[in-house]
Amino acid sequence: MEVRSIYRYARISPFKVREVTREIQGLPVSAALDVLAFTPKKAALLIGKTLKSAVANAENNANLKVDGLVVKEAVVGEGPTMKRMMARARGSGSKILKRTSHIRIVLSDEIPIETRETKKAKREQEKKQATKKSKADETPEKTTTKSEQKGTKAKKSGKAKSKK
């Protein structure tokens, strides 16, 4: 089941928030909260509030256990932009754009939780399979390369004669 939480009209640029949301996608909730706790950015505080709200929604509204939740997606959309003016030289002015963003976090219990150990074991298994495939591919190539080498030697000697 999926649970979501939305923080609308957050007073921060979406570009700054996306940098932090990329870090927590696919992580278990406990790991995502740890990452946010040690990220020294304003966006981390705002995303942390939204994530905690999503966890509370999962516990109270959907009766889900927090241990099995994973951040399925963390999306940041652009909100309305407030336009202000700042006085400049010679009586002119320039625009100041005060951007806002909408932060949406979706949690799911259907995605299997991948820890560092499981990811590492999966990578090692893929390496073993790749080495087995490469060894299997090398043995037939050796037999064909010998015959190809004989053919290339004959061609080289023929070319050498024609050049002289």
Side-chain angles (χ1 to χ4, degrees):
M1 179 170 203
E2 292 184 359
V3 181
R4 67 185 179 136
S5 177
I6 301 174
Y7 185 153
R8 301 191 75 199
Y9 307 107
R11 274 292 299 122
I12 190 168
S13 169
F15 183 81
K16 295 176 184 176
V17 183
R18 284 187 192 112
E19 187 178 341
V20 179
T21 55
R22 280 189 214 106
E23 297 297 320
I24 65 165
Q25 284 186 351
L27 291 178
V29 171
S30 58
L33 286 170
D34 289 343
V35 168
L36 294 173
F38 294 107
T39 304
K41 294 184 178 268
K42 177 184 175 182
L45 179 74
L46 302 174
I47 293 169
K49 284 183 181 181
T50 312
L51 184 59
K52 288 175 186 173
S53 174
V55 169
N57 290 343
E59 283 181 319
N60 297 322
N61 301 343
N63 297 325
L64 297 174
K65 293 182 180 177
V66 180
D67 300 336
L69 293 175
V70 177
V71 179
K72 184 177 180 181
E73 62 181 44
V75 181
V76 180
E78 203 169 313
T81 302
M82 295 185 287
K83 294 164 182 82
R84 300 291 181 258
M85 197 184 94
M86 181 177 180
R88 303 299 287 194
R90 299 183 183 183
S92 65
S94 64
K95 271 190 195 178
I96 293 179
L97 301 176
K98 298 196 176 225
R99 301 182 187 276
T100 62
S101 52
H102 303 311
I103 304 167
R104 185 180 82 202
I105 295 180
V106 179
L107 303 179
S108 177
D109 62 345
E110 298 163 357
I111 301 171
I113 296 175
E114 288 190 14
T115 59
R116 287 183 178 174
E117 290 80 22
T118 57
K119 287 181 183 179
K120 188 175 181 181
K122 189 184 281 186
R123 268 190 252 121
E124 288 175 359
Q125 193 175 32
E126 289 173 359
K127 284 182 183 178
K128 287 179 183 177
Q129 290 176 354
T131 55
K132 285 180 183 177
K133 286 182 182 178
S134 65
K135 287 181 182 178
D137 292 341
E138 285 178 6
T139 53
E141 286 180 11
K142 288 181 182 177
T143 57
T144 57
T145 54
K146 288 179 183 177
S147 60
E148 288 173 358
Q149 288 174 354
K150 289 179 185 176
T152 55
K153 286 180 182 177
K155 288 179 185 176
K156 286 181 182 177
S157 62
K159 289 180 183 177
K161 289 178 184 177
S162 62
K163 286 183 182 178
K164 290 180 182 179

